[in-house]
PDB file of all heavy atoms in Angstrom:
ATOM      1  N   GLU A  67      23.387  -4.052   9.597  1.00 80.00           N
ATOM      2  CA  GLU A  67      23.384  -2.578   9.678  1.00 80.00           C
ATOM      3  C   GLU A  67      22.659  -1.948   8.508  1.00 80.00           C
ATOM      4  O   GLU A  67      21.969  -0.942   8.680  1.00 80.00           O
ATOM      5  CB  GLU A  67      24.849  -2.067   9.708  1.00 80.00           C
ATOM      6  CG  GLU A  67      25.588  -2.391  10.998  1.00 80.00           C
ATOM      7  CD  GLU A  67      25.139  -1.585  12.186  1.00 80.00           C
ATOM      8  OE1 GLU A  67      24.438  -0.607  11.981  1.00 80.00           O
ATOM      9  OE2 GLU A  67      25.452  -1.989  13.352  1.00 80.00           O
ATOM     10  N   LYS A  68      22.744  -2.538   7.326  1.00 86.00           N
ATOM     11  CA  LYS A  68      22.118  -1.960   6.184  1.00 86.00           C
ATOM     12  C   LYS A  68      20.603  -2.345   6.103  1.00 86.00           C
ATOM     13  O   LYS A  68      19.917  -1.861   5.202  1.00 86.00           O
ATOM     14  CB  LYS A  68      22.817  -2.438   4.890  1.00 86.00           C
ATOM     15  CG  LYS A  68      24.256  -1.896   4.769  1.00 86.00           C
ATOM     16  CD  LYS A  68      24.871  -2.330   3.453  1.00 86.00           C
ATOM     17  CE  LYS A  68      26.278  -1.757   3.323  1.00 86.00           C
ATOM     18  NZ  LYS A  68      26.889  -2.224   2.042  1.00 86.00           N
ATOM     19  N   LYS A  69      20.167  -3.140   6.977  1.00 80.00           N
ATOM     20  CA  LYS A  69      18.760  -3.558   7.098  1.00 80.00           C
ATOM     21  C   LYS A  69      18.235  -4.208   5.811  1.00 80.00           C
ATOM     22  O   LYS A  69      17.138  -3.949   5.395  1.00 80.00           O
ATOM     23  CB  LYS A  69      17.891  -2.327   7.452  1.00 80.00           C
ATOM     24  CG  LYS A  69      18.229  -1.780   8.834  1.00 80.00           C
ATOM     25  CD  LYS A  69      17.465  -0.479   9.127  1.00 80.00           C
ATOM     26  CE  LYS A  69      16.007  -0.718   9.232  1.00 80.00           C
ATOM     27  NZ  LYS A  69      15.265   0.507   9.603  1.00 80.00           N
ATOM     28  N   GLN A  70      19.102  -5.055   5.233  1.00 90.00           N
ATOM     29  CA  GLN A  70      18.585  -5.793   4.117  1.00 90.00           C
ATOM     30  C   GLN A  70      18.795  -7.290   4.252  1.00 90.00           C
ATOM     31  O   GLN A  70      18.462  -8.073   3.356  1.00 90.00           O
ATOM     32  CB  GLN A  70      19.276  -5.323   2.803  1.00 90.00           C
ATOM     33  CG  GLN A  70      18.728  -3.998   2.330  1.00 90.00           C
ATOM     34  CD  GLN A  70      19.041  -3.701   0.841  1.00 90.00           C
ATOM     35  OE1 GLN A  70      19.959  -3.018   0.548  1.00 90.00           O
ATOM     36  NE2 GLN A  70      18.235  -4.300  -0.078  1.00 90.00           N
ATOM     37  N   GLN A  71      19.362  -7.740   5.377  1.00 93.00           N
ATOM     38  CA  GLN A  71      19.568  -9.145   5.620  1.00 93.00           C
ATOM     39  C   GLN A  71      19.421  -9.440   7.113  1.00 93.00           C
ATOM     40  O   GLN A  71      19.845  -8.662   7.968  1.00 93.00           O
ATOM     41  CB  GLN A  71      20.978  -9.581   5.127  1.00 93.00           C
ATOM     42  CG  GLN A  71      21.203 -11.072   5.206  1.00 93.00           C
ATOM     43  CD  GLN A  71      22.502 -11.471   4.532  1.00 93.00           C
ATOM     44  OE1 GLN A  71      23.521 -10.777   4.694  1.00 93.00           O
ATOM     45  NE2 GLN A  71      22.485 -12.598   3.863  1.00 93.00           N
ATOM     46  N   SER A  72      18.825 -10.591   7.341  1.00 96.00           N
ATOM     47  CA  SER A  72      18.692 -11.066   8.727  1.00 96.00           C
ATOM     48  C   SER A  72      19.110 -12.521   8.766  1.00 96.00           C
ATOM     49  O   SER A  72      18.986 -13.266   7.812  1.00 96.00           O
ATOM     50  CB  SER A  72      17.245 -10.900   9.199  1.00 96.00           C
ATOM     51  OG  SER A  72      17.099 -11.401  10.504  1.00 96.00           O
ATOM     52  N   SER A  73      19.605 -12.877   9.964  1.00 96.00           N
ATOM     53  CA  SER A  73      19.989 -14.291  10.167  1.00 96.00           C
ATOM     54  C   SER A  73      19.330 -14.770  11.462  1.00 96.00           C
ATOM     55  O   SER A  73      19.096 -14.016  12.391  1.00 96.00           O
ATOM     56  CB  SER A  73      21.479 -14.431  10.234  1.00 96.00           C
ATOM     57  OG  SER A  73      22.021 -13.671  11.324  1.00 96.00           O
ATOM     58  N   LEU A  74      19.009 -16.059  11.484  1.00 97.00           N
ATOM     59  CA  LEU A  74      18.441 -16.734  12.651  1.00 97.00           C
ATOM     60  C   LEU A  74      19.414 -17.819  12.999  1.00 97.00           C
ATOM     61  O   LEU A  74      19.700 -18.707  12.132  1.00 97.00           O
ATOM     62  CB  LEU A  74      17.058 -17.316  12.289  1.00 97.00           C
ATOM     63  CG  LEU A  74      16.331 -17.919  13.442  1.00 97.00           C
ATOM     64  CD1 LEU A  74      15.584 -16.827  14.243  1.00 97.00           C
ATOM     65  CD2 LEU A  74      15.348 -18.950  13.024  1.00 97.00           C
ATOM     66  N   HIS A  75      19.894 -17.810  14.188  1.00 97.00           N
ATOM     67  CA  HIS A  75      20.877 -18.778  14.641  1.00 97.00           C
ATOM     68  C   HIS A  75      20.320 -19.612  15.794  1.00 97.00           C
ATOM     69  O   HIS A  75      19.784 -19.054  16.754  1.00 97.00           O
ATOM     70  CB  HIS A  75      22.139 -18.036  15.082  1.00 97.00           C
ATOM     71  CG  HIS A  75      23.309 -18.955  15.458  1.00 97.00           C
ATOM     72  ND1 HIS A  75      24.043 -19.634  14.527  1.00 97.00           N
ATOM     73  CD2 HIS A  75      23.725 -19.351  16.675  1.00 97.00           C
ATOM     74  CE1 HIS A  75      24.930 -20.350  15.130  1.00 97.00           C
ATOM     75  NE2 HIS A  75      24.797 -20.200  16.455  1.00 97.00           N
ATOM     76  N   ILE A  76      20.450 -20.910  15.659  1.00 97.00           N
ATOM     77  CA  ILE A  76      20.001 -21.798  16.765  1.00 97.00           C
ATOM     78  C   ILE A  76      21.224 -22.509  17.327  1.00 97.00           C
ATOM     79  O   ILE A  76      22.022 -23.101  16.578  1.00 97.00           O
ATOM     80  CB  ILE A  76      18.985 -22.846  16.252  1.00 97.00           C
ATOM     81  CG1 ILE A  76      17.714 -22.125  15.710  1.00 97.00           C
ATOM     82  CG2 ILE A  76      18.580 -23.778  17.371  1.00 97.00           C
ATOM     83  CD1 ILE A  76      16.676 -23.099  15.137  1.00 97.00           C
ATOM     84  N   THR A  77      21.398 -22.398  18.612  1.00 96.00           N
ATOM     85  CA  THR A  77      22.508 -23.002  19.314  1.00 96.00           C
ATOM     86  C   THR A  77      22.063 -24.341  19.958  1.00 96.00           C
ATOM     87  O   THR A  77      21.008 -24.387  20.533  1.00 96.00           O
ATOM     88  CB  THR A  77      23.014 -22.070  20.420  1.00 96.00           C
ATOM     89  OG1 THR A  77      23.335 -20.800  19.816  1.00 96.00           O
ATOM     90  CG2 THR A  77      24.220 -22.622  21.097  1.00 96.00           C
ATOM     91  N   ALA A  78      22.896 -25.333  19.773  1.00 96.00           N
ATOM     92  CA  ALA A  78      22.640 -26.650  20.379  1.00 96.00           C
ATOM     93  C   ALA A  78      21.217 -27.123  20.029  1.00 96.00           C
ATOM     94  O   ALA A  78      20.388 -27.281  20.925  1.00 96.00           O
ATOM     95  CB  ALA A  78      22.849 -26.590  21.891  1.00 96.00           C
ATOM     96  N   SER A  79      20.958 -27.342  18.750  1.00 97.00           N
ATOM     97  CA  SER A  79      19.651 -27.672  18.280  1.00 97.00           C
ATOM     98  C   SER A  79      19.074 -28.907  18.923  1.00 97.00           C
ATOM     99  O   SER A  79      19.772 -29.835  19.305  1.00 97.00           O
ATOM    100  CB  SER A  79      19.673 -27.847  16.770  1.00 97.00           C
ATOM    101  OG  SER A  79      20.594 -28.876  16.405  1.00 97.00           O
ATOM    102  N   GLN A  80      17.701 -28.921  19.049  1.00 96.00           N
ATOM    103  CA  GLN A  80      16.983 -30.042  19.602  1.00 96.00           C
ATOM    104  C   GLN A  80      15.886 -30.471  18.644  1.00 96.00           C
ATOM    105  O   GLN A  80      15.446 -29.619  17.852  1.00 96.00           O
ATOM    106  CB  GLN A  80      16.392 -29.578  20.974  1.00 96.00           C
ATOM    107  CG  GLN A  80      17.410 -29.140  22.003  1.00 96.00           C
ATOM    108  CD  GLN A  80      16.753 -28.508  23.191  1.00 96.00           C
ATOM    109  OE1 GLN A  80      15.567 -28.356  23.231  1.00 96.00           O
ATOM    110  NE2 GLN A  80      17.532 -28.141  24.161  1.00 96.00           N
ATOM    111  N   PRO A  81      15.377 -31.660  18.769  1.00 94.00           N
ATOM    112  CA  PRO A  81      14.267 -32.090  17.902  1.00 94.00           C
ATOM    113  C   PRO A  81      13.095 -31.139  17.947  1.00 94.00           C
ATOM    114  O   PRO A  81      12.368 -30.984  16.989  1.00 94.00           O
ATOM    115  CB  PRO A  81      13.960 -33.476  18.434  1.00 94.00           C
ATOM    116  CG  PRO A  81      15.260 -33.971  18.972  1.00 94.00           C
ATOM    117  CD  PRO A  81      15.902 -32.809  19.568  1.00 94.00           C
ATOM    118  N   SER A  82      12.893 -30.470  19.098  1.00 94.00           N
ATOM    119  CA  SER A  82      11.766 -29.529  19.260  1.00 94.00           C
ATOM    120  C   SER A  82      11.933 -28.313  18.371  1.00 94.00           C
ATOM    121  O   SER A  82      10.974 -27.558  18.123  1.00 94.00           O
ATOM    122  CB  SER A  82      11.602 -29.104  20.688  1.00 94.00           C
ATOM    123  OG  SER A  82      12.759 -28.432  21.142  1.00 94.00           O
ATOM    124  N   HIS A  83      13.115 -28.051  17.848  1.00 96.00           N
ATOM    125  CA  HIS A  83      13.388 -26.934  16.954  1.00 96.00           C
ATOM    126  C   HIS A  83      12.932 -27.226  15.487  1.00 96.00           C
ATOM    127  O   HIS A  83      12.860 -26.311  14.674  1.00 96.00           O
ATOM    128  CB  HIS A  83      14.845 -26.543  16.951  1.00 96.00           C
ATOM    129  CG  HIS A  83      15.307 -25.881  18.189  1.00 96.00           C
ATOM    130  ND1 HIS A  83      16.384 -26.290  18.930  1.00 96.00           N
ATOM    131  CD2 HIS A  83      14.831 -24.763  18.854  1.00 96.00           C
ATOM    132  CE1 HIS A  83      16.557 -25.511  19.968  1.00 96.00           C
ATOM    133  NE2 HIS A  83      15.632 -24.605  19.958  1.00 96.00           N
ATOM    134  N   ALA A  84      12.635 -28.430  15.197  1.00 96.00           N
ATOM    135  CA  ALA A  84      12.252 -28.811  13.843  1.00 96.00           C
ATOM    136  C   ALA A  84      10.987 -28.138  13.445  1.00 96.00           C
ATOM    137  O   ALA A  84      10.078 -27.933  14.192  1.00 96.00           O
ATOM    138  CB  ALA A  84      12.095 -30.329  13.783  1.00 96.00           C
ATOM    139  N   GLY A  85      10.924 -27.782  12.138  1.00 96.00           N
ATOM    140  CA  GLY A  85       9.755 -27.134  11.582  1.00 96.00           C
ATOM    141  C   GLY A  85      10.219 -26.234  10.406  1.00 96.00           C
ATOM    142  O   GLY A  85      11.313 -26.321   9.920  1.00 96.00           O
ATOM    143  N   ILE A  86       9.306 -25.388  10.013  1.00 95.00           N
ATOM    144  CA  ILE A  86       9.569 -24.468   8.914  1.00 95.00           C
ATOM    145  C   ILE A  86       9.756 -23.072   9.495  1.00 95.00           C
ATOM    146  O   ILE A  86       8.923 -22.608  10.206  1.00 95.00           O
ATOM    147  CB  ILE A  86       8.460 -24.445   7.855  1.00 95.00           C
ATOM    148  CG1 ILE A  86       8.240 -25.827   7.249  1.00 95.00           C
ATOM    149  CG2 ILE A  86       8.736 -23.408   6.766  1.00 95.00           C
ATOM    150  CD1 ILE A  86       7.015 -25.968   6.390  1.00 95.00           C
ATOM    151  N   TYR A  87      10.889 -22.439   9.132  1.00 97.00           N
ATOM    152  CA  TYR A  87      11.143 -21.110   9.609  1.00 97.00           C
ATOM    153  C   TYR A  87      10.887 -20.135   8.477  1.00 97.00           C
ATOM    154  O   TYR A  87      11.434 -20.286   7.385  1.00 97.00           O
ATOM    155  CB  TYR A  87      12.568 -20.980  10.154  1.00 97.00           C
ATOM    156  CG  TYR A  87      12.720 -21.704  11.507  1.00 97.00           C
ATOM    157  CD1 TYR A  87      12.925 -23.104  11.503  1.00 97.00           C
ATOM    158  CD2 TYR A  87      12.635 -21.063  12.724  1.00 97.00           C
ATOM    159  CE1 TYR A  87      13.003 -23.768  12.737  1.00 97.00           C
ATOM    160  CE2 TYR A  87      12.742 -21.761  13.899  1.00 97.00           C
ATOM    161  CZ  TYR A  87      12.935 -23.096  13.909  1.00 97.00           C
ATOM    162  OH  TYR A  87      13.048 -23.782  15.089  1.00 97.00           O
ATOM    163  N   LEU A  88      10.087 -19.104   8.787  1.00 96.00           N
ATOM    164  CA  LEU A  88       9.727 -18.171   7.781  1.00 96.00           C
ATOM    165  C   LEU A  88      10.121 -16.755   8.238  1.00 96.00           C
ATOM    166  O   LEU A  88       9.886 -16.366   9.365  1.00 96.00           O
ATOM    167  CB  LEU A  88       8.194 -18.164   7.546  1.00 96.00           C
ATOM    168  CG  LEU A  88       7.619 -19.424   6.877  1.00 96.00           C
ATOM    169  CD1 LEU A  88       6.190 -19.676   7.354  1.00 96.00           C
ATOM    170  CD2 LEU A  88       7.628 -19.240   5.390  1.00 96.00           C
ATOM    171  N   CYS A  89      10.742 -16.018   7.310  1.00 96.00           N
ATOM    172  CA  CYS A  89      10.938 -14.606   7.581  1.00 96.00           C
ATOM    173  C   CYS A  89       9.903 -13.806   6.879  1.00 96.00           C
ATOM    174  O   CYS A  89       9.384 -14.172   5.800  1.00 96.00           O
ATOM    175  CB  CYS A  89      12.321 -14.127   7.167  1.00 96.00           C
ATOM    176  SG  CYS A  89      12.719 -14.199   5.417  1.00 96.00           S
ATOM    177  N   GLY A  90       9.447 -12.691   7.487  1.00 93.00           N
ATOM    178  CA  GLY A  90       8.405 -11.859   6.901  1.00 93.00           C
ATOM    179  C   GLY A  90       8.822 -10.380   7.035  1.00 93.00           C
ATOM    180  O   GLY A  90       9.478 -10.039   8.029  1.00 93.00           O
ATOM    181  N   ALA A  91       8.447  -9.554   6.100  1.00 89.00           N
ATOM    182  CA  ALA A  91       8.839  -8.130   6.116  1.00 89.00           C
ATOM    183  C   ALA A  91       7.618  -7.281   5.933  1.00 89.00           C
ATOM    184  O   ALA A  91       6.700  -7.582   5.147  1.00 89.00           O
ATOM    185  CB  ALA A  91       9.842  -7.859   5.016  1.00 89.00           C
ATOM    186  N   LEU A  92       7.609  -6.149   6.647  1.00 77.00           N
ATOM    187  CA  LEU A  92       6.552  -5.197   6.464  1.00 77.00           C
ATOM    188  C   LEU A  92       6.736  -4.488   5.149  1.00 77.00           C
ATOM    189  O   LEU A  92       7.854  -4.106   4.808  1.00 77.00           O
ATOM    190  CB  LEU A  92       6.554  -4.161   7.612  1.00 77.00           C
ATOM    191  CG  LEU A  92       5.952  -4.619   8.906  1.00 77.00           C
ATOM    192  CD1 LEU A  92       6.169  -3.532   9.961  1.00 77.00           C
ATOM    193  CD2 LEU A  92       4.484  -4.939   8.770  1.00 77.00           C
ATOM    194  N   SER A  93       5.620  -4.198   4.468  1.00 68.00           N
ATOM    195  CA  SER A  93       5.727  -3.471   3.218  1.00 68.00           C
ATOM    196  C   SER A  93       5.565  -2.010   3.485  1.00 68.00           C
ATOM    197  O   SER A  93       4.447  -1.506   3.558  1.00 68.00           O
ATOM    198  CB  SER A  93       4.650  -3.970   2.248  1.00 68.00           C
ATOM    199  OG  SER A  93       4.783  -5.329   1.972  1.00 68.00           O
ATOM    200  N   GLY A  94       6.634  -1.302   3.625  1.00 55.00           N
ATOM    201  CA  GLY A  94       6.627   0.113   3.815  1.00 55.00           C
ATOM    202  C   GLY A  94       5.818   0.525   5.024  1.00 55.00           C
ATOM    203  O   GLY A  94       5.964  -0.002   6.118  1.00 55.00           O
TER     204      GLY A  94
END
Side-chain angles (χ1 to χ4, degrees):
Chain A
E67 291 288 344
K68 294 183 179 179
K69 296 175 65 176
Q70 285 199 260
Q71 187 172 39
S72 178
S73 60
L74 185 84
H75 185 76
I76 299 178
T77 304
S79 58
Q80 300 169 357
S82 61
H83 287 127
I86 299 172
Y87 288 81
L88 292 150
C89 63
L92 281 175
S93 299

